[in-house]
Every structure is written in structure tokens, then in C-alpha cells.
Amino acid sequence: MRAKIIGTGSYLPPKIVTNNDLAKTVETSDEWIRERTGIEERRVTDENTATSDLAVEAAKKALSAARLSPEEIDLIIVCTCTPDMLFPSTACILQDKLGIKNAAAFDLSAACSGFNFGLAVASGLIENGAYKNILLVGADTLTKYLDWTDRGTCILFGDGAGAVVLTATDKEEGVLRSYLKAEGLFGKYLVMPGGGSRDPEAKNGRQIRMAGKEVFKFAVRVLEASVEKILEIAKLTPADIDLLIPHQANIRIIDHVAKKMGLSKEKVYVNLQKYGNTSAASIPIALDEALKEGRIKSGDLIVLSGFGAGLTYGANIIQW
Ligand code: ACO
């Protein structure tokens, strides 16, 4: 048994914040941000919108594309590090909003690596026969946790949601292999310290703190390593990849890996110029857009790979 994606959807909040908008409040410039990150603009939620509000819109589109009714979903996984609240889980809130009656639901926390981790878990649960139809969502609203005076972080992130519906298939297609890894030793380089049980009143702040250079070095190393590893596990070579969909964090990280792997621009999907880093939503949004732009056809080999806080990383290889 394998798990196959039969529907995708994505949703971005309407408000656009450009690099020039940011340059009005912090010492930066459109030129610097484009050159060092590739980002041109990002989407930002308003104060009345939470992660589940984005997730529900993406999920509705994925369900409609999959032509499944809510009753047919038997598991919901929401990958997020910005849940609506500590509990109930965002997955349970989403379940209620979608009127899904016959499902289990839980959140998965692996920050920007969330979707890759979620896809590995969901496909494993389908492969072992535990579930048939899974709604898997990556959704985050990291802009709510930015220090808008810190030019090293506030330029990078945006909000969004992406969703897929997975179903069981007995053909040799869908998610072929997964590879997940964490290096908790480096967790200190990307932290949101306040709000958890160590500091429930968030005396240490509720804003992202990042050692940008350290995360950059890590990202370059592990993005390449995770693609190499997934190809090795699947007994494939870079030449077999039809499309690489990397986590959309920084164009320099993506370009480095593409060059090392010998992948041409046509074989690497990039949309970070429009949305910045949307954390767990970045890969499912990119997957949805790549499909809609005709960049993926039946039988293609797609590699999804990324990294995030933890520090975590991983990859999945899909035969479309
Ligand atoms: N505008 C103008 N100048 C800036 C800005 C800015 N927005 N940010 C930093 N600078 C300055 C610095 O102060 C520094 O000045 P100095 O030389 O006078 O000290 C100079 O530019 C160079 O700074 P660096 O930090 O070396 O810049 P770098 O090229 O490394 O780019 C960046 C910084 C973009 C943050 C990069 O390190 C990066 O992308 N890191 C990875 C971040 C990432 O991907 N995080 C997401 C992880 S996923 C998750 O789970 C959330």
C-alpha cells in the first residue's frame, strides 16, 4: 500500500507587505532584501485571523480538488508551530470548522520542516492500513511572532497555508520514500522562548530569535544532505528528479543546492519572491502552485525537502 496525493489547495492572506514597506520602519532596503534573500513581498494576517482561518481555506480547496466529502476523511494532521492556542489542537479546531465527523485529529510541530515530517507520518499511517484518507495541512502565521524592529528576522517571514489530501493506493506511486532528521544540539539558533511551560507568561518574549548566519550554514548543509539521502534511499540520482520543491526560505540556499546537484532552473520550484518564508506552509503552497502552473505531470518524480527550527530537516520523494 502507498499514499498518493489526490488534491491540493493553498491560501494566502490578502494583505501584502513589500520590501519598501519594511524599509520605512527598519534600516534596510528593497535591494538588500532581494539580493540576500530573493524575497520581494510577503503576506501578513490581520489581528483577527489565526492559523486555523488560513488552514480552513486551503483545506476546502484540497478537499474539492480531491472530490472527497468531509465524511470520507479519517485523519487530520495540521503541521504548525503557530497554533491558534495551546489546546485544543489546530487540527481539532479545523475539524470542527470543516464539519469532519469521522476523523482523528492532531497537530505536528517541526516548524518549517513540519510538512515533510507530516507527509512522512501520514504516508506511513496509510501504508500500514491504519487510515485511508488523510487531510494534511501546513499552516503558519509567524508574522505574529516577529520583532518588527529586528531587520535580521522581520524581512524573512510571511503567513499562509497549504493542504493536501492523501489516499491509499495499491500501485507503486505516491510517496515512495521519506527521510527525517533532527539536530537538537543546534536548537538554540532559532528560538521562540516565551509562552511555553518554561515561561508561560512569556517574560522572555514571544518573538522569534535567530542566529541568521548559523541557520544559513546549517540550511545549506542539510538541504543538500537531505536531497542526497532521499535519492540514495530511493536508489535514484539527481538526473532522475523532475522537480525539486525546496523549503522557500532564501534563494541563496536553494541556488547553492541546485548548483551542487546539477539541477537546472526548470527543475527547481521557487515562489519565495511572493510570500517569503511561510514555515510549514511553504512546501504545500509551492506544490499547489507548481501543479496549477503545469510544472508537474503524471509519473514525474518530485522531491520535497526542507529544514527548520529544532533544528530539523527532511525530504520526501513522490512519484506523481
Ligand atoms: N537589511 C540591511 N542590512 C542587513 C539586514 C537587512 N534586513 N539584515 C542584516 N543586515 C546587515 C547586518 O547587520 C550585517 O551588517 P555588518 O556587516 O555591518 O555587521 C550585514 O548586513 C550582513 O549580515 P549577515 O547576517 O551576514 O547577512 P546574511 O547574508 O547572512 O543574511 C539572512 C542574513 C538573510 C538572515 C541569512 O543569514 C539567512 O537567510 N539565514 C537563514 C535564515 C532562515 O532560513 N531561517 C528560517 C529557518 S526555517 C524555520 O523553522 C523558521
Side-chain angles (χ1 to χ4, degrees), residues 77-83 107-119 121 139-140 142 180-182 190 247 279-281 306-314:
I77 305 174
V78 175
C79 311
T80 187
C81 59
T82 51
D107 285 1
L108 185 151
S109 169
C112 296
S113 300
F115 189 79
N116 265 313
F117 277 59
L119 190 58
V121 170
D140 268 311
L142 276 180
L180 306 177
K181 194 91 197 287
L190 183 49
H247 173 45
S279 187
F307 55 90
L311 297 176
T312 50
Y313 55 105

Side-chain angles (χ1 to χ4, degrees), residues 285-302:
I285 293 171
L287 177 65
D288 184 46
E289 294 199 343
L291 263 174
K292 288 182 176 137
E293 289 165 18
R295 301 272 301 267
I296 299 173
K297 37 183 207 317
S298 183
D300 276 359
L301 271 172
I302 316 294

